[in-house]
Amino acid sequence: MNTLPPWARVLEDLRIAAVLKADDTRYFLGMNDRGNAAAAAILGMEDVPAQHLDDLIASEAFLAEVAIEGSGIERAAHRCYRLVSAPPALQDIDVSDERAEGTDWLSYFLSALPREAMGGLDHTGVYLAPDAPLQILLTAASATLAIAEVVQGILCDGQLEIGFSAQEIATLGGLDVRSVRNVMGPRGNKPIRTTAALGPRADYVEGNPLDALEWLAGRRGFSGYEISSDWVEQHLPQINTLAVAAAIPAVFAWAQGVTTTTLAKRLSWPAERVSGWVRGKDIRLTEAAALAEAAGLDGTAYRALIERTSGAHNPQ
């Protein structure tokens, strides 16, 4: 994953984008009073020079006059930046709100910027290039919301249906997306199984959430996220299926960067035993508390969950 740039660099590129948008608007409306007034409003200036504005991008003095702070695109970018640079605990991220006020707006604003240069130097790479700071920011914020949505969906809502895109996995793991695609496949012979995405992403394939989290926990580029054990335990009464109940301890650990191997060592189990339990294989009520405690959860509460969701049909 590309390193998140300093906020000052993001601001500089936002100013360049505003200049290109102002130039584009002036061309669209005409190089006249109406076009000049619109361009000046975009830049937060009383008036604009008569020359093509993109010629002035190299001027630090001119860029410094661009009043980008407080604009819609700056607010969206700053919200994304806060989310990525100092992420809250996963349970504290309001995914819907952060998307609506952050990533969705930033994506929209970037899509509305000029896609081609009209003569002179081409500065569109500032927001079009995949390794440009603004694109890095958008991709990183989207990936942070993806893991919050998946983990909240499993631990709070009992959902196992939401998966990860290859780009989201790559961003979270600090890897090239091509490397991630190499470990994804639909047949179960690769670390991350894929299925057709649901809803608005139906033309994509998604990585299985359990496979992806387990794989990510073992990547050096994945630093993990804070998550509250109290929050997880408060939501255990809402879990009503054994499939979800089985996954909870490992998902809680994986999201924090704790690997399957580490959990297995704490339990003196083979790693395959932990992976199997998570996927509902060979679940034993007598071992539930130990697994939960190895992950950092309350063993008594988790044992009660397994007993309730399994119907106490597997008491060994």
Side-chain angles (χ1 to χ4, degrees):
M1 183 178 81
N2 293 299
T3 303
L4 185 69
W7 176 243
R9 174 66 191 280
V10 173
L11 273 181
E12 178 183 344
D13 285 1
L14 286 174
R15 289 190 174 96
I16 293 172
V19 172
L20 297 181
K21 184 68 173 178
D23 234 0
D24 168 69
T25 301
R26 188 161 63 165
Y27 295 145
F28 185 86
L29 295 176
M31 301 287 282
N32 49 38
D33 290 345
R34 183 185 177 195
N36 289 338
I42 290 172
L43 299 178
M45 298 178 178
E46 291 188 7
D47 51 45
V48 291
Q51 69 192 96
H52 297 302
L53 299 179
D54 59 0
D55 292 341
L56 299 172
I57 286 176
S59 168
E60 292 184 6
F62 176 74
L63 272 188
E65 294 180 14
V66 175
I68 198 67
E69 290 87 348
S71 64
I73 191 171
E74 189 269 343
R75 289 196 301 270
H78 194 255
R79 187 157 188 152
C80 291
Y81 198 90
R82 289 200 313 268
L83 179 68
V84 177
S85 61
L90 288 182
Q91 75 274 1
D92 294 331
I93 296 176
D94 186 327
V95 175
S96 296
D97 191 51
E98 292 296 338
R99 281 199 177 122
E101 300 299 326
T103 56
D104 285 354
W105 272 120
L106 183 57
S107 177
Y108 169 77
F109 286 132
L110 294 181
S111 72
L113 293 171
R115 317 313 282 174
E116 298 179 9
M118 293 296 291
L121 296 175
D122 185 355
H123 296 281
T124 57
V126 162
Y127 47 83
L128 290 181
D131 59 349
L134 288 169
Q135 289 294 344
I136 292 171
L137 175 59
L138 177 59
T139 301
S142 298
T144 300
L145 293 179
I147 192 170
E149 181 177 41
V150 169
V151 171
Q152 289 177 13
I154 296 171
L155 300 182
C156 178
D157 302 322
Q159 297 179 354
L160 288 169
E161 295 82 12
I162 302 172
F164 294 93
S165 71
Q167 182 61 68
E168 289 164 351
I169 297 170
T171 302
L172 291 168
L175 297 162
D176 184 271
V177 70
R178 291 170 295 185
S179 300
V180 172
R181 291 195 179 106
N182 287 336
V183 299
M184 299 176 73
R187 298 178 182 176
N189 59 345
K190 293 188 175 183
I192 302 175
R193 289 166 296 157
T194 58
T195 56
L198 301 175
R201 300 205 303 187
D203 53 337
Y204 290 87
V205 294
E206 287 184 335
N208 175 276
L210 300 182
D211 293 351
L213 287 170
E214 182 172 21
W215 188 82
L216 276 170
R219 308 278 73 79
R220 285 182 294 178
F222 180 69
S223 56
Y225 290 81
E226 180 185 346
I227 184 166
S228 165
S229 59
D230 289 341
W231 176 81
V232 175
E233 290 155 8
Q234 287 168 8
H235 288 88
L236 293 183
Q238 298 174 207
I239 305 302
N240 295 310
T241 67
L242 183 59
V244 176
I248 285 174
V251 168
F252 175 71
W254 291 338
Q256 297 177 83
V258 178
T259 66
T260 299
T261 300
T262 297
L263 286 176
K265 287 180 178 178
R266 292 174 183 174
L267 291 158
S268 297
W269 291 5
E272 294 77 16
R273 177 90 174 84
V274 176
S275 292
W277 180 296
V278 174
R279 293 162 179 85
K281 299 176 183 177
D282 195 21
I283 295 175
R284 302 177 185 179
L285 184 60
T286 54
E287 296 177 336
L291 175 58
E293 289 165 4
L297 295 172
D298 181 84
T300 301
Y302 183 66
R303 186 187 188 283
L305 173 66
I306 293 297
E307 184 173 16
R308 174 170 61 83
T309 55
S310 66
H313 293 315
N314 190 13
Q316 65 266 33

